[in-house]
Amino acid sequence: MNELSFIRKNLRSKRRSLSSFEQKQAQLDILHYLNTLPIFHSSKKIGLYLHAFGEVHTELLIELCFKKNKQVYLPMICSMNQRLVWVKISKNQYINRRFSHHPLGMKEPMATRAKHVSSLDLLIMPLLACDRYGTRIGMGGGYYDRTLASAKHKPYRLGLAHQFQFIEHTLKRQSWDQPLDALLTPQRVYYFKR
């Protein structure tokens, strides 16, 4: 097993073993930090995700966005090019859980119209691991990397993670990897040079 496979397996397992109390506490702590970030307050169009695989939960973050009159966009996989497109959802749609199930296991918004990632101001991304240079390891599908690589305008990229997902040693960055601008954990905010 190579290093990347080992990291993926180890962190997936660690993430899945978190209790609902630990997940709730992590979300509350991250919510506090998010609310102090100037980029959050200046952004109007925010891309988020619906957690499905043990990622940092996002219900309270989505609710905060609606409370602050932000436009909330959720990702949908475009089957033609395996990239993500972003669907604006309403508060009502979110509260009533009007989502469809994707074969990969996550929920997606139901929509016929979607936007390219370039139209977002802030993109809040899930991840498995991140190092001190902002190198992000995702779930392995490459959806975020492919999507961001095709963006003319790059939104501010903010990763969400539990503290154990921040890796002290340097992760190998591939040419297609799209680094983060910042990482938010329950303990602190990390900023990276792009």
Side-chain angles (χ1 to χ4, degrees), residues 6-64:
F6 175 76
I7 289 171
R8 278 208 166 99
K9 188 174 186 234
N10 183 28
L11 292 178
R12 270 196 190 113
S13 165
K14 225 169 169 176
R15 235 173 33 174
R16 277 196 302 267
S17 71
L18 291 169
S19 69
S20 55
F21 174 78
E22 288 169 313
Q23 279 285 17
K24 183 85 168 174
Q25 194 56 54
Q27 188 181 190
L28 284 167
D29 293 339
I30 280 175
L31 186 73
H32 164 75
Y33 281 118
L34 181 68
N35 214 358
T36 68
L37 297 182
I39 187 67
F40 173 69
H41 291 286
S42 66
S43 296
K44 190 74 184 148
K45 296 175 181 171
I46 299 178
L48 273 144
Y49 62 91
L50 296 170
H51 61 272
F53 309 106
E55 309 96 330
V56 169
H57 290 194
T58 53
E59 301 108 320
L60 298 177
L61 283 69
I62 291 170
E63 287 167 17
L64 177 67

Side-chain angles (χ1 to χ4, degrees), residues 23-107:
Q23 279 285 17
K24 183 85 168 174
Q25 194 56 54
Q27 188 181 190
L28 284 167
D29 293 339
I30 280 175
L31 186 73
H32 164 75
Y33 281 118
L34 181 68
N35 214 358
T36 68
L37 297 182
I39 187 67
F40 173 69
H41 291 286
S42 66
S43 296
K44 190 74 184 148
K45 296 175 181 171
I46 299 178
L48 273 144
Y49 62 91
L50 296 170
H51 61 272
F53 309 106
E55 309 96 330
V56 169
H57 290 194
T58 53
E59 301 108 320
L60 298 177
L61 283 69
I62 291 170
E63 287 167 17
L64 177 67
C65 288
F66 284 127
K67 193 172 156 188
K68 300 266 184 194
N69 295 313
K70 309 285 185 191
Q71 293 174 26
V72 175
Y73 291 81
L74 296 177
M76 194 168 80
I77 297 174
C78 178
S79 52
M80 289 186 305
N81 60 14
Q82 294 301 294
R83 291 184 184 150
L84 299 172
V85 289
W86 299 87
V87 178
K88 184 179 175 186
I89 61 160
S90 68
K91 187 176 181 179
N92 195 30
Q93 186 180 358
Y94 179 69
I95 290 167
N96 293 311
R97 298 281 186 255
R98 292 203 193 111
F99 304 114
S100 62
H101 283 275
H102 189 275
L104 288 176
M106 66 281 208
K107 290 179 184 159

